[in-house]
Amino acid sequence: MRLSALDVYKKLLNEDKLLELEGQIKFFLGDVNIIVKQKDVVGNIIQEWLEGWLKKRCIEYSPSENTQMPPDFFLNPDDKTSDLLEIKAFNRNASPGFDIADFRMYEEEIIEKPYMLNVDYLIFGYDMSDEGIVTIKDLWLKKVWEITRRMDGWALNLQVKQNVVHKIRPGVWYSNRPGNIPMFQCLEDFISAVEETVYQNPKTHENAATWKRNFLESYKKFYGVQLNIPRWSDIVDKYNVQKK
């Protein structure tokens, strides 16, 4: 059976009633077995669980061999440019703490493979009780621009160490509380922020003059569509901190 990412999302919620289920993580070694109560292992386990779920439901997929970049799964094994699924998970009692991608790898990858921008992110918001009971509180299906935002001093929310850019980090896409920075409204605005970050980042600054042109040519060649990417300075005010 072949399903799209949206089909997988709906099947998990509506048929398998994911938000009503309870689970545990158990570890066996010799004659000792325990229930794992460390929350930081749950995210990786959920990705493995999802692969087991795909197998059990006889849903076609192919795992990615590149663990450093999205996607985790190709839902169309015959065409690895479409139906791309990335799994993310985080403790629902805290802000999302997962990485989206290494920035430098990502800005190069979307020029070489513009279809990477169409990856579907299946995001699990989980909880673990003191007794080790795991429940899924929320499940989202999002595109990359729907879960990313800017940050102070940078056009993208990033992990930055000693002025060196490392990972692209998510925002809090599920809350409109005052003080939050809005997520990007569209693909074009997200690309504008990527271009600005290429310019801002000392390690990629020298590529800034040609980055957008190269991206647009690649995107048009693949999709047959000419995108109109705004200048970051023209749209930055849309992404100011939300007020009361």
Side-chain angles (χ1 to χ4, degrees):
M1 175 169 53
R2 186 166 292 178
L3 297 182
S4 68
L6 182 58
D7 292 331
V8 167
Y9 171 76
K10 290 180 176 179
K11 190 174 182 67
L12 283 165
L13 285 179
N14 301 328
E15 294 185 29
D16 284 57
K17 307 295 183 183
L18 181 72
L19 303 187
E20 301 175 16
L21 303 180
E22 293 185 349
Q24 288 181 322
I25 302 170
K26 297 182 179 180
F27 179 70
F28 300 82
L29 184 61
D31 62 351
V32 177
N33 63 83
I34 63 168
I35 295 173
V36 177
K37 300 177 183 178
Q38 295 293 323
K39 294 181 180 180
D40 56 359
V41 306
V42 178
N44 289 336
I45 297 295
I46 285 177
Q47 181 176 330
E48 291 195 38
W49 177 87
L50 195 279
E51 183 169 8
W53 181 87
L54 292 171
K55 290 179 180 177
K56 191 171 183 65
R57 300 294 183 267
C58 299
I59 299 168
E60 291 185 55
Y61 77 96
S62 176
S64 174
E65 296 179 358
N66 183 359
T67 60
Q68 300 299 311
M69 291 292 293
D72 291 314
F73 302 113
F74 301 96
L75 295 178
N76 183 352
D78 298 326
D79 178 7
K80 294 186 176 180
T81 67
S82 64
D83 294 313
L84 313 177
L85 185 64
E86 176 78 357
I87 310 302
K88 296 295 183 184
F90 70 101
N91 180 354
R92 188 60 177 82
N93 298 309
S95 298
F98 56 81
D99 296 327
I100 292 174
D102 176 86
F103 173 75
R104 191 162 189 180
M105 292 176 65
Y106 192 83
E107 58 92 2
E108 293 175 349
E109 187 93 339
I110 60 176
I111 291 178
E112 181 183 350
K113 302 173 181 177
Y115 53 84
M116 293 290 292
L117 289 163
N118 205 33
V119 169
D120 286 295
Y121 289 77
L122 186 64
I123 307 169
F124 294 74
Y126 65 82
D127 180 52
M128 177 184 274
S129 72
D130 293 339
E131 293 73 37
I133 301 297
V134 177
T135 53
I136 306 302
K137 297 301 183 183
D138 288 291
L139 185 70
W140 298 270
L141 188 68
K142 296 289 186 180
K143 298 297 187 184
V144 65
W145 60 88
E146 296 177 312
I147 58 173
T148 49
R149 61 171 174 84
R150 71 170 182 85
M151 63 183 278
D152 289 341
W154 294 86
L156 281 177
N157 190 33
L158 302 161
Q159 178 192 55
V160 183
K161 297 179 180 180
Q162 297 180 337
N163 206 38
V164 176
V165 171
H166 292 275
K167 307 290 186 179
I168 303 173
R169 306 301 296 275
V172 182
W173 64 87
Y174 47 85
S175 174
N176 292 316
R177 291 184 303 176
N180 284 351
I181 297 174
M183 303 303 106
F184 295 113
Q185 297 176 8
C186 58
L187 167 64
E188 290 84 352
D189 286 3
F190 172 71
I191 294 301
S192 177
V194 174
E195 181 198 14
E196 179 69 11
T197 306
V198 169
Y199 174 80
Q200 290 178 286
N201 181 17
K203 296 290 186 180
T204 57
H205 181 80
E206 63 183 20
N207 300 326
T210 59
W211 187 91
K212 183 166 78 170
R213 183 181 72 237
N214 292 337
F215 168 76
L216 289 174
E217 289 176 354
S218 177
Y219 192 92
K220 184 176 182 180
K221 182 178 180 180
F222 188 83
Y223 284 109
V225 174
Q226 181 65 54
L227 290 178
N228 182 20
I229 306 300
R231 293 183 301 175
W232 177 247
S233 59
D234 291 337
I235 64 171
V236 63
D237 287 344
K238 291 198 300 184
Y239 300 106
N240 289 331
V241 172
Q242 293 173 342
K243 300 180 180 179
K244 295 182 181 180

PDB file of all heavy atoms in Angstrom, residues 108-123:
ATOM      1  N   GLU A 108      23.097  24.377   0.725  1.00  0.00           N
ATOM      2  CA  GLU A 108      23.671  23.767  -0.473  1.00  0.00           C
ATOM      3  C   GLU A 108      22.722  22.721  -1.057  1.00  0.00           C
ATOM      4  O   GLU A 108      22.579  22.610  -2.275  1.00  0.00           O
ATOM      5  CB  GLU A 108      25.017  23.118  -0.136  1.00  0.00           C
ATOM      6  CG  GLU A 108      26.110  24.105   0.237  1.00  0.00           C
ATOM      7  CD  GLU A 108      27.387  23.435   0.685  1.00  0.00           C
ATOM      8  OE1 GLU A 108      27.366  22.202   0.913  1.00  0.00           O
ATOM      9  OE2 GLU A 108      28.414  24.126   0.814  1.00  0.00           O
ATOM     10  N   GLU A 109      22.071  21.976  -0.181  1.00  0.00           N
ATOM     11  CA  GLU A 109      21.212  20.879  -0.609  1.00  0.00           C
ATOM     12  C   GLU A 109      19.996  21.370  -1.389  1.00  0.00           C
ATOM     13  O   GLU A 109      19.593  20.758  -2.380  1.00  0.00           O
ATOM     14  CB  GLU A 109      20.744  20.084   0.619  1.00  0.00           C
ATOM     15  CG  GLU A 109      19.984  18.818   0.295  1.00  0.00           C
ATOM     16  CD  GLU A 109      20.858  17.582   0.232  1.00  0.00           C
ATOM     17  OE1 GLU A 109      22.086  17.736   0.041  1.00  0.00           O
ATOM     18  OE2 GLU A 109      20.322  16.481   0.355  1.00  0.00           O
ATOM     19  N   ILE A 110      19.394  22.481  -0.974  1.00  0.00           N
ATOM     20  CA  ILE A 110      18.179  22.915  -1.661  1.00  0.00           C
ATOM     21  C   ILE A 110      18.471  23.545  -3.023  1.00  0.00           C
ATOM     22  O   ILE A 110      17.541  23.731  -3.822  1.00  0.00           O
ATOM     23  CB  ILE A 110      17.345  23.881  -0.793  1.00  0.00           C
ATOM     24  CG1 ILE A 110      18.128  25.139  -0.430  1.00  0.00           C
ATOM     25  CG2 ILE A 110      16.835  23.167   0.459  1.00  0.00           C
ATOM     26  CD1 ILE A 110      17.304  26.173   0.341  1.00  0.00           C
ATOM     27  N   ILE A 111      19.724  23.860  -3.291  1.00  0.00           N
ATOM     28  CA  ILE A 111      20.094  24.257  -4.653  1.00  0.00           C
ATOM     29  C   ILE A 111      20.264  23.014  -5.516  1.00  0.00           C
ATOM     30  O   ILE A 111      19.749  22.933  -6.637  1.00  0.00           O
ATOM     31  CB  ILE A 111      21.386  25.099  -4.656  1.00  0.00           C
ATOM     32  CG1 ILE A 111      21.127  26.465  -4.018  1.00  0.00           C
ATOM     33  CG2 ILE A 111      21.918  25.280  -6.083  1.00  0.00           C
ATOM     34  CD1 ILE A 111      22.355  27.349  -3.921  1.00  0.00           C
ATOM     35  N   GLU A 112      20.943  22.027  -4.985  1.00  0.00           N
ATOM     36  CA  GLU A 112      21.147  20.786  -5.735  1.00  0.00           C
ATOM     37  C   GLU A 112      19.850  19.988  -5.862  1.00  0.00           C
ATOM     38  O   GLU A 112      19.575  19.398  -6.907  1.00  0.00           O
ATOM     39  CB  GLU A 112      22.198  19.930  -5.029  1.00  0.00           C
ATOM     40  CG  GLU A 112      22.498  18.619  -5.743  1.00  0.00           C
ATOM     41  CD  GLU A 112      23.504  17.767  -4.975  1.00  0.00           C
ATOM     42  OE1 GLU A 112      24.095  18.275  -4.001  1.00  0.00           O
ATOM     43  OE2 GLU A 112      23.681  16.594  -5.347  1.00  0.00           O
ATOM     44  N   LYS A 113      19.046  20.015  -4.806  1.00  0.00           N
ATOM     45  CA  LYS A 113      17.808  19.222  -4.764  1.00  0.00           C
ATOM     46  C   LYS A 113      16.668  20.112  -4.255  1.00  0.00           C
ATOM     47  O   LYS A 113      16.278  20.029  -3.094  1.00  0.00           O
ATOM     48  CB  LYS A 113      17.976  18.015  -3.838  1.00  0.00           C
ATOM     49  CG  LYS A 113      19.123  17.094  -4.219  1.00  0.00           C
ATOM     50  CD  LYS A 113      19.324  16.009  -3.157  1.00  0.00           C
ATOM     51  CE  LYS A 113      20.482  15.101  -3.501  1.00  0.00           C
ATOM     52  NZ  LYS A 113      20.719  14.081  -2.435  1.00  0.00           N
ATOM     53  N   PRO A 114      16.107  20.956  -5.111  1.00  0.00           N
ATOM     54  CA  PRO A 114      15.066  21.889  -4.642  1.00  0.00           C
ATOM     55  C   PRO A 114      13.823  21.203  -4.092  1.00  0.00           C
ATOM     56  O   PRO A 114      13.086  21.799  -3.306  1.00  0.00           O
ATOM     57  CB  PRO A 114      14.746  22.721  -5.884  1.00  0.00           C
ATOM     58  CG  PRO A 114      15.228  21.898  -7.043  1.00  0.00           C
ATOM     59  CD  PRO A 114      16.415  21.143  -6.542  1.00  0.00           C
ATOM     60  N   TYR A 115      13.610  19.956  -4.465  1.00  0.00           N
ATOM     61  CA  TYR A 115      12.457  19.223  -3.947  1.00  0.00           C
ATOM     62  C   TYR A 115      12.571  18.951  -2.448  1.00  0.00           C
ATOM     63  O   TYR A 115      11.581  18.599  -1.793  1.00  0.00           O
ATOM     64  CB  TYR A 115      12.279  17.900  -4.702  1.00  0.00           C
ATOM     65  CG  TYR A 115      13.500  17.028  -4.749  1.00  0.00           C
ATOM     66  CD1 TYR A 115      13.817  16.165  -3.707  1.00  0.00           C
ATOM     67  CD2 TYR A 115      14.357  17.063  -5.857  1.00  0.00           C
ATOM     68  CE1 TYR A 115      14.951  15.365  -3.744  1.00  0.00           C
ATOM     69  CE2 TYR A 115      15.491  16.267  -5.907  1.00  0.00           C
ATOM     70  CZ  TYR A 115      15.780  15.423  -4.856  1.00  0.00           C
ATOM     71  OH  TYR A 115      16.917  14.632  -4.898  1.00  0.00           O
ATOM     72  N   MET A 116      13.761  19.161  -1.878  1.00  0.00           N
ATOM     73  CA  MET A 116      13.920  18.999  -0.432  1.00  0.00           C
ATOM     74  C   MET A 116      13.070  20.004   0.345  1.00  0.00           C
ATOM     75  O   MET A 116      12.742  19.785   1.510  1.00  0.00           O
ATOM     76  CB  MET A 116      15.386  19.164  -0.044  1.00  0.00           C
ATOM     77  CG  MET A 116      16.298  18.076  -0.557  1.00  0.00           C
ATOM     78  SD  MET A 116      16.017  16.501   0.256  1.00  0.00           S
ATOM     79  CE  MET A 116      16.592  16.877   1.897  1.00  0.00           C
ATOM     80  N   LEU A 117      12.707  21.093  -0.302  1.00  0.00           N
ATOM     81  CA  LEU A 117      11.847  22.076   0.344  1.00  0.00           C
ATOM     82  C   LEU A 117      10.431  21.560   0.542  1.00  0.00           C
ATOM     83  O   LEU A 117       9.651  22.150   1.294  1.00  0.00           O
ATOM     84  CB  LEU A 117      11.815  23.364  -0.481  1.00  0.00           C
ATOM     85  CG  LEU A 117      13.106  24.182  -0.463  1.00  0.00           C
ATOM     86  CD1 LEU A 117      13.124  25.175  -1.605  1.00  0.00           C
ATOM     87  CD2 LEU A 117      13.260  24.884   0.875  1.00  0.00           C
ATOM     88  N   ASN A 118      10.092  20.474  -0.129  1.00  0.00           N
ATOM     89  CA  ASN A 118       8.738  19.939  -0.051  1.00  0.00           C
ATOM     90  C   ASN A 118       8.632  18.772   0.927  1.00  0.00           C
ATOM     91  O   ASN A 118       7.638  18.049   0.930  1.00  0.00           O
ATOM     92  CB  ASN A 118       8.261  19.496  -1.442  1.00  0.00           C
ATOM     93  CG  ASN A 118       6.754  19.506  -1.554  1.00  0.00           C
ATOM     94  OD1 ASN A 118       6.077  20.337  -0.946  1.00  0.00           O
ATOM     95  ND2 ASN A 118       6.208  18.573  -2.307  1.00  0.00           N
ATOM     96  N   VAL A 119       9.657  18.574   1.745  1.00  0.00           N
ATOM     97  CA  VAL A 119       9.603  17.532   2.774  1.00  0.00           C
ATOM     98  C   VAL A 119       8.444  17.811   3.732  1.00  0.00           C
ATOM     99  O   VAL A 119       8.213  18.950   4.135  1.00  0.00           O
ATOM    100  CB  VAL A 119      10.933  17.480   3.564  1.00  0.00           C
ATOM    101  CG1 VAL A 119      10.793  16.590   4.803  1.00  0.00           C
ATOM    102  CG2 VAL A 119      12.060  16.961   2.681  1.00  0.00           C
ATOM    103  N   ASP A 120       7.713  16.759   4.083  1.00  0.00           N
ATOM    104  CA  ASP A 120       6.679  16.859   5.108  1.00  0.00           C
ATOM    105  C   ASP A 120       7.277  16.457   6.452  1.00  0.00           C
ATOM    106  O   ASP A 120       7.882  15.385   6.575  1.00  0.00           O
ATOM    107  CB  ASP A 120       5.503  15.942   4.780  1.00  0.00           C
ATOM    108  CG  ASP A 120       4.648  16.480   3.650  1.00  0.00           C
ATOM    109  OD1 ASP A 120       4.033  17.542   3.837  1.00  0.00           O
ATOM    110  OD2 ASP A 120       4.600  15.848   2.576  1.00  0.00           O
ATOM    111  N   TYR A 121       7.084  17.325   7.453  1.00  0.00           N
ATOM    112  CA  TYR A 121       7.581  17.053   8.804  1.00  0.00           C
ATOM    113  C   TYR A 121       6.427  16.530   9.653  1.00  0.00           C
ATOM    114  O   TYR A 121       5.467  17.260   9.928  1.00  0.00           O
ATOM    115  CB  TYR A 121       8.167  18.323   9.421  1.00  0.00           C
ATOM    116  CG  TYR A 121       9.472  18.739   8.791  1.00  0.00           C
ATOM    117  CD1 TYR A 121       9.493  19.379   7.553  1.00  0.00           C
ATOM    118  CD2 TYR A 121      10.688  18.486   9.408  1.00  0.00           C
ATOM    119  CE1 TYR A 121      10.687  19.756   6.951  1.00  0.00           C
ATOM    120  CE2 TYR A 121      11.894  18.859   8.826  1.00  0.00           C
ATOM    121  CZ  TYR A 121      11.883  19.486   7.596  1.00  0.00           C
ATOM    122  OH  TYR A 121      13.064  19.855   7.000  1.00  0.00           O
ATOM    123  N   LEU A 122       6.529  15.262  10.058  1.00  0.00           N
ATOM    124  CA  LEU A 122       5.543  14.654  10.947  1.00  0.00           C
ATOM    125  C   LEU A 122       6.098  14.781  12.366  1.00  0.00           C
ATOM    126  O   LEU A 122       7.109  14.153  12.692  1.00  0.00           O
ATOM    127  CB  LEU A 122       5.322  13.190  10.576  1.00  0.00           C
ATOM    128  CG  LEU A 122       4.210  12.452  11.324  1.00  0.00           C
ATOM    129  CD1 LEU A 122       2.839  13.061  11.020  1.00  0.00           C
ATOM    130  CD2 LEU A 122       4.216  10.975  10.984  1.00  0.00           C
ATOM    131  N   ILE A 123       5.450  15.603  13.173  1.00  0.00           N
ATOM    132  CA  ILE A 123       6.020  16.004  14.461  1.00  0.00           C
ATOM    133  C   ILE A 123       5.154  15.479  15.609  1.00  0.00           C
ATOM    134  O   ILE A 123       3.957  15.770  15.682  1.00  0.00           O
ATOM    135  CB  ILE A 123       6.141  17.531  14.552  1.00  0.00           C
ATOM    136  CG1 ILE A 123       6.896  18.083  13.328  1.00  0.00           C
ATOM    137  CG2 ILE A 123       6.857  17.945  15.839  1.00  0.00           C
ATOM    138  CD1 ILE A 123       6.850  19.579  13.192  1.00  0.00           C
TER     139      ILE A 123
END
